[in-house]
Amino acid sequence: MRADHPDQRPTNAEIVARYLSGQPIRRIAADLGVSYSYVHRRLHYSGIAIRSRGGGRGARSDGRSTTDSPAGCADRGGAAGVDGSDDDYVD
């Protein structure tokens, strides 16, 4: 559907429903024949929180979580140097 005339523009409800079902803003805009900014504004004015770019991240091939910290980070109890060694650590 191409929104050439203001009466043919999609409703906020239609845009919100598509977005909440997981469609990205660019796809919604292309499918409905309106601009990215039009869709973004309608979502904003409807009080919808905009998702961050890039989508979800899948599982890693080595089985670790994508949120695992690298070895030696302070939050994992290590105090490794820049190169990952413990040479700079004094106990």
Side-chain angles (χ1 to χ4, degrees):
M1 168 173 115
R2 186 86 185 147
D4 294 328
H5 190 274
D7 293 339
Q8 297 173 333
R9 289 199 173 157
T11 64
N12 285 357
E14 181 179 8
I15 291 171
V16 168
R18 287 173 175 246
Y19 188 73
L20 293 179
S21 74
Q23 288 187 24
I25 294 175
R26 292 198 189 283
R27 180 177 303 151
I28 297 168
D31 289 352
L32 299 177
V34 295
S35 69
Y36 174 95
S37 61
Y38 179 84
V39 173
H40 191 275
R41 277 192 314 271
R42 299 281 64 90
L43 292 169
H44 176 76
Y45 295 149
S46 296
I48 303 300
I50 304 299
R51 296 185 295 262
S52 61
R53 293 178 55 181
R57 295 184 179 172
R60 294 171 49 135
S61 60
D62 62 4
R64 292 178 27 210
S65 165
T66 57
T67 58
D68 281 350
S69 300
C73 286
D75 66 332
R76 295 189 67 172
V82 174
D83 63 353
S85 69
D86 290 325
D87 295 341
D88 298 333
Y89 180 70
V90 178
D91 193 35

